[in-house]
């Protein structure tokens, strides 16, 4: 999300990446040292990740794991930062995270990671809001309150780029996600960049104008299920079970299954209407064929190059990183960065296998 936007108003999911980078100091332990049949993956609350709550509660994960004679524990971790810490340290075999976090946290820490499932992208969940103007160009010279080094920061950079400006043309002010709604009501606040539900709350305030959203950079803020690459290679049944369970629920969501959606909403601490509002700004890849097309397209490589450049410019790939390509990123359409240090991979084979089996 890039750290993620939660549904609840008490957001923990978009902590500053300067804080998230603490995860890279966690010692990396082997994920598996002997034959295994028990695995664990974790997730945190966000609209696009609530299917994991339903998968767990309804026994769908158990069904698919049994098919491959394994056991998979699906664990909710309330703190997004901690969920990535648990994965990076080897305590979890997989974890939900964004494409930017997958690069700057486990991959940059040396944990070879595979984007197994590309679940969705932000399609309006994130936005830039100006006070007293509906023209993005008027952001020039203003202070912009946001969570620095987060998806909000990335969105701001992309928005500025779209009108020929850069971060040098504004002054970013690091602000807690929990405070940003209140800050906008302050007379001194000129602009903010944030995510839902804070974005929706601010948009309803006087003189608030949403001038740029993630809908204008479709496919760039990706939400993933990331799995340890070595574990996936050693135990491909883990990948097949996770993908199978995921797309079983995607089929329910594609058909607007009210019972399933209501249960996901309740698990997220909201109601059906509130959850559907979140989903309206989330492009969910309910069709595995569409997800496969994305993974195999050059768009993912282009996006990850942008994310890597942003991450390097802001020091998120480590103090000693010589360039944006210090961590290799492998996609079906090519590899960006150091091919001798590939630590993040987009693998379409498990989604393809699911499609072929249908």
């Amino acid at each position: 999300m890039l750290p993620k936007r939660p549904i609840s108003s008490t957001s923990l999911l978009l902590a500053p990446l300067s804080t998230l980078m603490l995860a890279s100091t966690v010692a990396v332990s082997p994920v598996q040292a002997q034959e295994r049949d028990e695995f664990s993956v974790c997730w945190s609350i966000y609209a696009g990740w609530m299917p994991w709550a339903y998968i767990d509660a309804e026994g769908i994960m158990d069904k698919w794991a049994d098919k491959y004679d394994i056991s998979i524990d699906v664990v909710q971790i309330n703190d997004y930062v901690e969920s990535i810490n648990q994965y990076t340290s080897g305590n979890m075999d997989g974890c939900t995270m964004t494409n930017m976090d997958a690069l700057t946290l486990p991959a940059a820490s040396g944990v070879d990671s595979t984007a197994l499932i590309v679940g969705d992208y932000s399609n309006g969940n994130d936005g830039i809001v100006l006070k007293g103007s509906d023209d993005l160009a008027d952001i020039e010279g203003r202070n912009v309150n946001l969570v620095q080094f987060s998806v909000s920061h990335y969105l701001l950079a992309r928005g500025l780029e779209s009108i020929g400006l850069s971060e040098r043309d504004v002054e970013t002010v690091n602000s807690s996600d929990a405070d940003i709604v209140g800050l906008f009501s302050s007379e001194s606040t000129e602009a903010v960049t944030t995510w839902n539900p804070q974005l929706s709350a601010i948009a309803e305030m006087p003189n608030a104008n949403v001038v740029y959203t993630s809908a204008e950079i479709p496919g760039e803020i990706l939400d993933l299920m990331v799995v340890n690459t070595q574990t996936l290679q050693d135990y491909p049944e883990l990948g097949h079970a996770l993908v199978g369970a995921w797309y079983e629920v995607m089929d329910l969501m594609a058909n607007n299954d009210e019972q399933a959606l209501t249960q996901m909403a309740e698990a997220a601490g909201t109601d059906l209407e509130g959850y559907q509002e979140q989903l309206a700004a989330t492009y969910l890849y309910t069709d595995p064929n569409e997800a496969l097309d994305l993974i195999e397209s050059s768009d993912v490589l282009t996006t990850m190059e942008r994310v890597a450049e942003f991450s390097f410019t802001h020091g998120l790939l480590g103090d000693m990183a010589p360039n944006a390509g210090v961590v290799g990123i492998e996609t079906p359409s090519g590899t960006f960065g150091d091919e001798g240090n590939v630590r993040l991979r987009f693998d379409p084979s498990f989604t393809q296998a699911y499609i072929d089996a249908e």
Side-chain angles (χ1 to χ4, degrees), residues 133-195:
S133 172
D134 60 4
D135 185 353
L136 177 58
D138 288 337
I139 199 171
E140 186 173 7
R142 294 194 184 196
N143 291 335
V144 183
N145 292 78
L146 46 66
V147 179
Q148 285 185 327
F149 312 132
S150 70
V151 63
S152 291
H153 204 148
Y154 177 80
L155 181 71
L156 173 65
R158 292 289 283 123
L160 292 169
E161 178 185 322
S162 74
I163 55 171
L165 298 179
S166 73
E167 289 183 59
R168 293 186 298 272
D169 297 303
V170 299
E171 185 72 32
T172 59
V173 180
N174 190 29
S175 307
S176 166
D177 59 300
D179 298 334
I180 206 154
V181 175
L183 281 170
F184 192 81
S185 63
S186 169
E187 191 173 319
S188 61
T189 302
E190 303 172 301
V192 302
T193 306
T194 190
W195 61 94

Side-chain angles (χ1 to χ4, degrees), residues 285-352:
Y285 286 103
T286 55
D287 183 349
N289 291 283
E290 189 177 12
L292 183 66
D293 288 344
L294 172 71
I295 298 169
E296 293 184 333
S297 75
S298 60
D299 293 345
V300 169
L301 184 61
T302 300
T303 290
M304 292 312 300
E305 288 181 15
R306 287 197 185 106
V307 170
E309 292 287 354
F310 174 88
S311 301
F312 172 68
T313 301
H314 293 84
L316 304 179
L317 298 178
D319 294 338
M320 304 300 291
N323 53 57
V326 63
V327 177
I329 305 168
E330 182 181 271
T331 77
S333 63
T335 299
F336 172 75
D338 188 349
E339 294 186 1
N341 187 42
V342 173
R343 292 294 180 267
L344 181 58
R345 307 164 194 270
F346 286 78
D347 185 353
S349 65
F350 291 88
T351 300
Q352 182 67 69

Side-chain angles (χ1 to χ4, degrees), residues 61-302:
M61 190 74 267
D62 292 338
K63 182 185 78 172
W64 280 89
D66 288 345
K67 179 178 179 179
Y68 294 97
D69 296 319
I70 60 175
S71 173
I72 303 174
D73 191 16
V74 178
V75 181
Q76 178 186 351
I77 297 180
N78 291 330
D79 190 326
Y80 176 71
V81 178
E82 181 58 22
S83 71
I84 299 181
N85 284 348
Q86 290 295 315
Y87 168 75
T88 303
S89 64
N91 292 329
M92 293 287 169
D93 299 294
C95 183
T96 55
M97 65 187 76
T98 64
N99 52 331
M100 184 166 137
D101 288 335
L103 173 64
T104 62
L105 294 170
S109 302
V111 179
D112 197 325
S113 299
T114 294
L116 175 70
I117 297 170
V118 178
D120 69 85
Y121 65 79
S122 174
N123 194 34
N125 265 324
D126 305 83
I128 300 172
V129 187
L130 296 188
K131 186 177 290 182
S133 172
D134 60 4
D135 185 353
L136 177 58
D138 288 337
I139 199 171
E140 186 173 7
R142 294 194 184 196
N143 291 335
V144 183
N145 292 78
L146 46 66
V147 179
Q148 285 185 327
F149 312 132
S150 70
V151 63
S152 291
H153 204 148
Y154 177 80
L155 181 71
L156 173 65
R158 292 289 283 123
L160 292 169
E161 178 185 322
S162 74
I163 55 171
L165 298 179
S166 73
E167 289 183 59
R168 293 186 298 272
D169 297 303
V170 299
E171 185 72 32
T172 59
V173 180
N174 190 29
S175 307
S176 166
D177 59 300
D179 298 334
I180 206 154
V181 175
L183 281 170
F184 192 81
S185 63
S186 169
E187 191 173 319
S188 61
T189 302
E190 303 172 301
V192 302
T193 306
T194 190
W195 61 94
N196 273 323
Q198 289 90 330
L199 178 62
S200 296
I202 291 172
E204 295 175 356
M205 298 172 73
N207 297 319
N209 299 274
V210 179
V211 293
Y212 190 86
T213 76
S214 54
E216 297 179 67
I217 52 169
E220 291 193 29
I221 299 177
L222 298 171
D223 299 309
L224 317 169
M225 168 56 79
V226 172
V227 177
N228 181 280
T229 299
Q230 189 63 57
T231 302
L232 204 55
Q233 290 175 353
D234 292 342
Y235 303 102
E237 57 269 29
L238 170 62
H240 291 304
L242 289 169
V243 168
W246 177 260
Y247 283 113
E248 179 173 331
V249 175
M250 288 303 98
D251 187 56
L252 295 176
M253 298 186 78
N255 288 290
N256 200 32
D257 187 296
E258 188 169 323
Q259 182 272 330
L261 291 171
T262 299
Q263 192 165 326
M264 291 180 213
E266 290 173 354
T270 187
D271 57 17
L272 179 59
E273 182 181 359
Y275 185 50
Q276 288 175 326
E277 287 177 1
Q278 289 286 320
L279 288 176
T282 306
Y283 191 96
L284 202 62
Y285 286 103
T286 55
D287 183 349
N289 291 283
E290 189 177 12
L292 183 66
D293 288 344
L294 172 71
I295 298 169
E296 293 184 333
S297 75
S298 60
D299 293 345
V300 169
L301 184 61
T302 300

